[in-house]
């Protein structure tokens, strides 16, 4: 973790004033290590922001970051979690799972907003689990999406992180009730060259 932060400080000037949360380390079959560092501000996660450093056998060989520098000084919510939950339940018609509520910072085109992000209890028969993001100051609903319907949305490297380091947005064709990509001829257990990162976070680097 400390080695990854040092590489970032040396290679990405914007990271020098950024605070990172606890690192998550992924070890690949190629023996590379991917260190994922979520960005935090005043103890709160900044959604979809952070950095990754890929280490080979002896040194870092790939650095990627998406960082937010214009962050609010005030991170005190005007709404309580219970008030935000009531707004979400009124919008989606489902009770909010008390263990799936988090106060976070949410980047938008108009600036970073303090939000309550929460997940409703899933209705598996309808393939419905709403995630609601509510402005913790005004109570405005910023974003609502169906986590089950959108679960297969992903970002991937077109070939691998070295040859094509720019991520591309794709919808993975995972069939109903399936957990892997497969068709009549092939079932994917891992990428062919075993050099891509498995992303399992619903909020970017969190």
């Amino acid at each position: 973790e400390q080695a990854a932060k040092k590489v970032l400080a040396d290679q990405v000037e914007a990271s020098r004033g950024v605070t990172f949360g606890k690192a998550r380390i992924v070890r690949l079959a190629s023996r590379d290590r991917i260190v994922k560092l979520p960005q935090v501000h005043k103890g709160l996660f900044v959604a979809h922001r952070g950095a990754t450093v890929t280490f080979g056998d002896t040194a870092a060989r790939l650095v990627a970051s998406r960082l937010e520098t214009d962050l609010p000084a005030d991170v005190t919510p005007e709404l309580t979690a219970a008030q935000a939950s009531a707004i979400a339940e009124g919008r989606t018609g489902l009770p909010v799972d008390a263990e799936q509520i988090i106060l976070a910072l949410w980047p938008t085109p108009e600036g970073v907003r303090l939000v309550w992000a929460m997940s409703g209890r899933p209705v598996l028969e309808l393939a419905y689990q709403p995630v609601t993001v509510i402005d913790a100051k005004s109570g405005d609903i910023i974003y609502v999406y169906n986590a089950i319907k959108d679960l297969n949305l992903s970002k991937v490297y077109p070939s691998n992180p070295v040859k094509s380091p720019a991520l591309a947005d794709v919808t993975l064709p995972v069939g109903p009730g399936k957990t892997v990509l497969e068709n009549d001829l092939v079932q994917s257990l891992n990428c062919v060259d075993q050099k891509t990162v498995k992303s399992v976070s619903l909020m970017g680097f969190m």
Side-chain angles (χ1 to χ4, degrees):
E1 180 175 341
Q2 293 305 314
K5 290 179 179 179
K6 184 178 186 305
V7 170
L8 280 170
D10 291 340
Q11 302 294 325
V12 183
E13 183 177 354
S15 71
R16 296 170 191 169
V18 168
T19 302
F20 293 103
K22 182 177 176 58
R24 183 163 64 89
I25 300 174
V26 179
R27 299 182 184 276
L28 305 182
S30 63
R31 297 187 180 180
D32 284 358
R33 290 178 297 114
I34 311 295
V35 181
K36 301 190 70 174
L37 294 162
Q39 184 178 359
V40 299
H41 175 65
K42 294 183 179 292
L44 302 179
F45 285 108
V46 184
H48 313 299
R49 298 294 185 266
T52 62
V53 181
T54 302
F55 290 92
D57 290 335
T58 58
R61 63 180 185 81
L62 182 66
V63 177
S65 66
R66 190 178 185 189
L67 305 173
E68 195 69 44
T69 56
D70 187 13
L71 294 164
D74 180 15
V75 294
T76 303
E78 297 291 338
L79 272 69
T80 65
Q83 290 171 324
S85 295
I87 294 172
E89 290 170 0
R91 171 65 174 79
T92 66
L94 289 178
V96 170
D97 188 337
E99 296 182 355
Q100 296 294 324
I101 304 174
I102 185 172
L103 186 65
L105 293 165
W106 193 273
T108 74
E110 294 76 34
V112 178
R113 297 166 75 172
L114 181 69
V115 304
W116 288 106
M118 62 201 72
S119 174
R121 294 176 185 170
V123 181
L124 299 180
E125 296 83 357
L126 301 177
Y128 183 51
Q129 183 179 19
V131 173
T132 309
V133 180
I134 296 174
D135 190 307
K137 294 288 189 182
S138 67
D140 293 338
I141 296 176
I142 297 175
Y143 191 44
V144 180
Y145 69 94
N146 182 358
I148 293 179
K149 180 178 179 181
D150 297 337
L151 184 61
N152 296 339
L153 298 181
S154 184
K155 292 181 178 291
V156 303
Y157 297 103
S159 56
N160 64 55
V162 177
K163 293 182 179 179
S164 55
L167 288 169
D169 293 310
V170 300
T171 299
L172 301 176
V174 179
K178 302 291 185 179
T179 59
V180 298
L181 294 171
E182 63 181 356
N183 59 26
D184 292 337
L185 299 176
V186 177
Q187 181 184 85
S188 66
L189 301 179
N190 203 335
C191 60
V192 173
D193 63 3
Q194 300 181 336
K195 293 182 180 178
T196 48
V197 180
K198 297 178 183 178
S199 175
V200 296
S201 172
L202 292 178
M203 296 188 70
F205 289 91
M206 291 175 56

